[in-house]
Amino acid sequence: MSISDLFDSGFQKRNQDHFAAIVKVAMSDGIITEEEKAFLDRLARRLDISENDYKEILKDYNSHPINPPSSYEKRLERLFDLSRMVYADNIKGDEQVVLLQKLSIGLGFSTENAKYIVDKALSLVDQGVDSEEFAEEIKNMNR
């Protein structure tokens, strides 16, 4: 096996684990709504999750470890990506905002601050900021 194969398989495994963690958050209330399903479909395409892997993860999402980002910077990167996905295609409905709040808690942001962080994140994405400005604004949102 070549080094590139090892890298690709490791990257794919992290994507699958990340996807499974998001499925677990979506399933926290026992169901996946149509809006959550549409979001998961888009996320699976973005993370390059195959149809077979997608079905397997939905069936057995608890078998994947939850590895939230260990650094605040990585959490902000994922929040930026997820916020852009929620904002894309004008899908920013109440259900999507609630899902993004759940995901932000899953990323390690506090339950008390999730609503404020998500509101700020979606506002920043609406303004078209880049990832660096997004991170800086979220870090300093209480000034």
Side-chain angles (χ1 to χ4, degrees), residues 3-138:
I3 290 177
S4 64
D5 289 339
L6 287 173
F7 176 77
D8 289 345
S9 66
F11 184 73
Q12 186 63 26
K13 176 73 171 125
R14 278 192 305 276
N15 280 352
Q16 289 173 356
D17 290 345
H18 178 55
F19 182 73
I22 291 172
V23 170
K24 190 177 287 194
V25 170
M27 284 297 294
S28 64
D29 60 0
I31 60 166
I32 293 181
T33 65
E34 288 298 319
E35 292 83 9
E36 290 170 337
K37 175 81 167 79
F39 181 80
L40 292 173
D41 289 348
R42 283 189 305 279
L43 182 61
R45 281 191 300 277
R46 182 147 194 220
L47 294 175
D48 199 27
I49 305 291
S50 71
E51 184 68 27
N52 287 339
D53 289 339
Y54 182 96
K55 289 176 183 175
E56 194 61 37
I57 290 168
L58 282 180
K59 193 167 47 172
D60 192 22
Y61 56 88
N62 284 319
S63 69
H64 292 266
I66 292 184
N67 297 317
S70 57
S71 76
Y72 189 60
E73 295 297 322
K74 291 291 184 193
R75 282 189 269 161
L76 291 174
E77 286 175 20
R78 286 201 184 159
L79 179 62
F80 179 66
D81 289 341
L82 292 169
S83 298
R84 288 187 314 161
M85 289 182 66
V86 165
Y87 191 78
D89 302 329
N90 297 315
I91 59 167
K92 195 184 97 174
D94 290 339
E95 297 87 8
Q96 295 302 330
V97 173
V98 169
L99 177 60
L100 189 56
Q101 288 173 0
K102 288 182 193 178
L103 294 173
S104 71
I105 293 166
L107 287 173
F109 294 99
S110 72
T111 305
E112 297 81 25
N113 292 334
K115 180 188 180 331
Y116 304 109
I117 289 170
V118 165
D119 287 346
K120 180 70 171 183
L122 290 172
S123 171
L124 291 168
V125 168
D126 183 45
Q127 295 170 31
V129 301
D130 63 16
S131 62
E132 290 178 16
E133 187 175 351
F134 178 91
E136 193 61 34
E137 289 288 329
I138 294 290

